[in-house]
Amino acid sequence: MRQLLLASSSRYRRELLSRLRLAFECSAPEIDETARADELPDQLVRRLAYEKAQALTGSHRDHLIIGSDQVAVLEHSILGKPHTFDRAKRQLQACSGKSLDFLTGLVLLDSRTGSAQIDCVRYTVHFRQLDERQIDRYLHAEQPFDCAGSFKAEGLGISLFRATEGTDITSLVGLPLIRLVDMLNEAGVKVP
């Protein structure tokens, strides 16, 4: 079986990929993640996912390299990771009663041949109306300051939603496993 490499330092992506019970390595690619002028969010995540995988081809010449990148989009604006309580609170206040789209770029790059499968998976979160006390309680309980959108859907963050919409909940966490399994099967890696 071909060796798998996850082009990421994200513990969330590592945890998700481990669900597939495949052996894999991780390596953090060094790329410039700056958006280009007039680049749409779906174009950005596809490009960055590809560039992350491509950046590791020189050091991993016989691997299937998985690249992924994600943005959260609220009313045409990209929300980054908040990093602080105050920024997270502002993000959740802005999301209250609204819908937040997560776009996750996914790439499976064969470093031997240079061929790549590239996709973008969308997942939408519809928020409840949130008051300041709810937001404060949530942020103190879970401290999701390293998560775009300021919540952890795999934890207590689910209580902030009135509904979700999409084909793969794992894309919300940063690595769409359903689409990745399609790509791996296409590349000859059988899962399960």
Side-chain angles (χ1 to χ4, degrees), residues 7 20-21 27 48 57 79 114 116 120 127 135 150 158 168 178:
L20 299 183
R21 299 182 183 185
S27 184
L48 292 178
T57 58
L79 300 182
C120 177
F127 280 87
I135 292 171
S150 301
I158 200 79
D168 187 349
I178 292 173

Side-chain angles (χ1 to χ4, degrees), residues 42-57:
D42 65 317
Q43 295 168 332
L44 172 67
V45 295
R46 287 173 194 257
R47 177 179 61 82
L48 292 178
Y50 180 78
E51 288 180 4
K52 287 177 180 181
Q54 180 65 37
L56 299 175
T57 58

Side-chain angles (χ1 to χ4, degrees), residues 4 8 13 20 22 26 30 36 41 44 48 63 99 121 123 127 132 159-160 173-174 182:
L4 293 178
S8 179
R13 289 189 177 109
L20 299 183
L22 298 170
C26 292
E30 296 296 324
R36 296 178 179 158
L44 172 67
L48 292 178
H63 286 70
S99 297
V121 178
Y123 200 86
F127 280 87
E132 187 172 350
S159 68
L160 305 176
V173 183
D182 292 339

Side-chain angles (χ1 to χ4, degrees), residues 34-121:
T34 306
R36 296 178 179 158
D38 299 323
E39 189 172 38
L40 298 173
D42 65 317
Q43 295 168 332
L44 172 67
V45 295
R46 287 173 194 257
R47 177 179 61 82
L48 292 178
Y50 180 78
E51 288 180 4
K52 287 177 180 181
Q54 180 65 37
L56 299 175
T57 58
S59 57
H60 299 82
R61 298 201 176 273
D62 194 33
H63 286 70
L64 293 173
I65 304 174
I66 302 162
S68 186
D69 194 77
Q70 182 184 70
V71 295
V73 181
L74 178 67
E75 299 174 334
H76 309 293
S77 295
I78 293 176
L79 300 182
K81 295 176 183 176
H83 301 293
T84 68
F85 181 93
D86 290 336
R87 287 187 190 134
K89 185 172 182 174
R90 285 193 299 273
Q91 280 190 4
L92 289 176
Q93 287 170 330
C95 291
S96 177
K98 297 179 183 166
S99 297
L100 182 62
D101 289 320
F102 284 81
L103 303 175
T104 306
L106 179 65
V107 170
L108 184 64
L109 175 66
D110 186 329
S111 64
R112 184 190 305 160
T113 66
S115 65
Q117 299 177 60
I118 304 171
D119 204 353
C120 177
V121 178

